[in-house]
Amino acid sequence: MTDTAGSAPLRGRLVGFMVVPAIAAISPLLVLPLISRLAGDGGWASAVAGEAIGTFAAIAIGYGWTAVGPALISIAPDDDRRARLYRDSIVVRLLLAAIVLPILAVVCWFVASPGSELLTVLMGVQGALIALSFTWYCAGVGDPRTIIFFDAVPRVVATALAAGAILLTGIVELYPIAGILVTLGGTTLFSARLLRRHPGPWPPAREIPGLLRAGLPVAVNDAALSAYSSVPAPLVNVTALPSAAAGYASADKMFKLGSVLPFTLASAFQSWVSEGDPLDRRRRLRVALGTHVAFGLLGAVVLTVLGPWVSLVMFGESAAAGLDLVAAMGLVFLFLSVRTSMTRHVLFPAGKARLVMTVTLVATAVGVPAMVAMAIVIGPLGAALGYALTEGLATLLLWRPCALAMRDIASPPARREQDRTA
């Protein structure tokens, strides 16, 4: 496939996966400034801590489907097989949600500042339920329009309505409630439409243990990733004064809003990099990886340069993030962008899930104790630097396996065909 032939579809996917979903990703900026002011420093820090806990719970509920699912869908032989994979994911994720959500509620209640318990729990539930979303399936089939219709646009509208309602009532809990309703409503409508078009059997109870075993390496990898990404906010909330914790919460929130973008970029590339012959696939993988490197650098610069001013304007003077915090989170963004492409585009499709899991566990074992120690000694900046250390170590350890997997994509028959053409 030539560059010309592939460029137009790629441009369409990049626009479809990036523009409207990106707007939806940053739409919380309509309402978060209200929460930071109305909930106070303790409530704001608790809300962000609850969201971080919800992110960790989402990894447990998702059980690896959001990470490896797009690759499985993109290489599935037909739509019926894709629908069966989606049914498998529904059963696994709903079973785990029934176990995880009650535990999440207890943990969020425990870490919340006095008076902010309900807000913290709802923020946690909103973050956790993202694991039930259907968007990973659409990434696998290269279908951004469905994400826009069933998720992105409703999320923007719901956030705007929640902001207006909070202004009128002062009830900050309306924001996470709106997010919960959008996730559950959009996923239910999409799932009903997909499974009605492609009817088939649901996995029987005897197959569930096998599904859990098959997804374990990716689930463990995602759990380790979520562990070290979810630790800093609650850690700062219990080790620092509310004023200092509020500044970190603002830096963390700006990073988390931006961190959605590397994943949407990866979704845009997911089905594109799996098309074509081996030589063309390797070229496409290089394009995807190079784009993620450039995007990570751009995001790090933007966060560092504009972060302090944006946090001051959006969250108020008492919750503004300092330059040191946003610079550290910029490093995290760079490493996250690069690692996302290496794992989702190269290593997971190459069958290297166990290798990725091992590397992530090593990085977590080194990084989480570093976060705790540095947070106690240095304060919130120490937690941010420990986060950057962990993400950077995971990225560095995966670089060589990723390069080797990309080299092996061009098989000997493909190389012989290239020589014969030359």
Side-chain angles (χ1 to χ4, degrees):
M1 183 177 294
T2 64
D3 290 345
T4 304
S7 60
L10 177 59
R11 282 196 298 269
R13 294 173 191 181
L14 288 172
V15 171
F17 277 104
M18 292 293 291
V19 176
V20 177
I23 294 173
I26 65 174
S27 64
L29 292 175
L30 295 171
V31 68
L32 292 178
L34 299 175
I35 296 178
S36 69
R37 288 166 170 81
L38 293 174
D41 289 348
W44 171 237
S46 297
V48 174
E51 189 174 51
I53 296 168
T55 300
F56 183 77
I59 299 300
I61 295 171
Y63 206 69
W65 282 100
T66 56
V68 77
L72 296 177
I73 294 298
S74 67
I75 63 177
D78 52 52
D79 288 339
D80 289 337
R81 175 58 182 163
R82 294 185 181 99
R84 176 56 193 265
L85 287 169
Y86 190 72
R87 283 187 176 87
D88 292 345
S89 80
I90 290 176
V91 170
V92 170
R93 290 180 292 158
L94 287 179
L95 175 63
L96 292 172
I99 299 171
V100 171
L101 289 178
I103 300 173
L104 173 143
V106 173
V107 174
C108 286
W109 194 278
F110 175 77
V111 304
S113 298
S116 302
E117 291 86 359
L118 180 59
L119 173 63
T120 308
V121 171
L122 288 172
M123 291 293 287
V125 172
Q126 177 187 226
L129 289 181
I130 293 296
L132 300 181
S133 175
F134 62 91
T135 55
W136 59 269
Y137 181 95
C138 296
V141 296
D143 177 20
R145 288 177 296 179
T146 299
I147 296 177
I148 292 171
F149 181 77
F150 284 100
D151 185 83
V153 171
R155 199 167 296 278
V156 172
V157 173
T159 302
L161 292 176
I166 291 172
L167 276 174
L168 292 175
T169 65
I171 303 175
V172 294
E173 289 82 4
L174 292 174
Y175 165 63
I177 291 174
I180 291 169
L181 293 176
V182 168
T183 299
L184 294 179
T187 299
T188 299
L189 291 174
F190 169 82
S191 301
R193 187 186 71 161
L194 174 70
L195 300 182
R196 185 170 58 249
R197 290 179 176 178
H198 304 285
W202 290 84
R206 66 178 182 276
E207 292 184 6
I208 294 177
L211 293 174
L212 294 173
R213 287 193 300 270
L216 183 61
V218 180
V220 172
N221 173 74
D222 283 357
L225 290 175
S226 182
Y228 71 67
S229 66
S230 301
V231 163
L235 174 65
V236 170
N237 203 41
V238 299
T239 60
L241 294 174
S243 57
Y248 181 88
S250 298
D252 183 79
K253 173 50 62 180
M254 288 188 296
F255 163 75
K256 291 292 173 57
L257 290 174
S259 68
V260 176
L261 299 178
F263 295 103
T264 58
L265 181 61
S267 296
F269 278 114
Q270 188 70 63
S271 62
W272 183 74
V273 298
S274 65
E275 299 169 357
D277 58 43
L279 290 174
D280 194 36
R281 285 184 58 223
R282 186 168 65 172
R283 179 189 63 81
R284 290 173 179 237
L285 288 171
R286 287 173 175 168
V287 171
L289 183 57
T291 303
H292 273 264
V293 172
F295 189 73
L297 287 170
L298 176 62
V301 171
V302 170
L303 186 58
T304 301
V305 173
L306 300 180
W309 175 79
V310 171
S311 68
L312 176 63
V313 173
M314 299 301 298
F315 305 124
E317 184 175 357
S318 64
L323 177 63
D324 52 355
L325 286 175
V326 295
M329 301 308 288
L331 283 176
V332 180
F333 185 89
L334 168 61
F335 294 133
L336 172 67
S337 181
V338 177
R339 181 181 53 76
T340 298
S341 181
M342 289 195 297
T343 55
R344 298 201 174 193
H345 297 149
V346 182
L347 294 172
F348 282 152
K352 304 294 184 182
R354 290 187 179 275
L355 171 66
V356 175
M357 176 191 70
T358 302
V359 167
T360 304
L361 290 175
V362 170
T364 303
V366 174
V368 171
M371 288 182 207
V372 175
M374 295 169 73
I376 294 173
V377 175
I378 304 176
L381 177 60
L385 291 174
Y387 191 178
L389 169 67
T390 310
E391 194 71 58
L393 180 59
T395 304
L396 179 64
L397 293 176
L398 288 174
W399 186 262
R400 179 170 173 77
C402 177
L404 293 175
M406 290 178 65
R407 184 195 66 185
D408 293 341
I409 286 176
S411 62
R415 286 195 288 269
R416 284 196 296 268
E417 178 65 24
Q418 182 186 41
D419 293 341
R420 187 161 54 248
T421 302

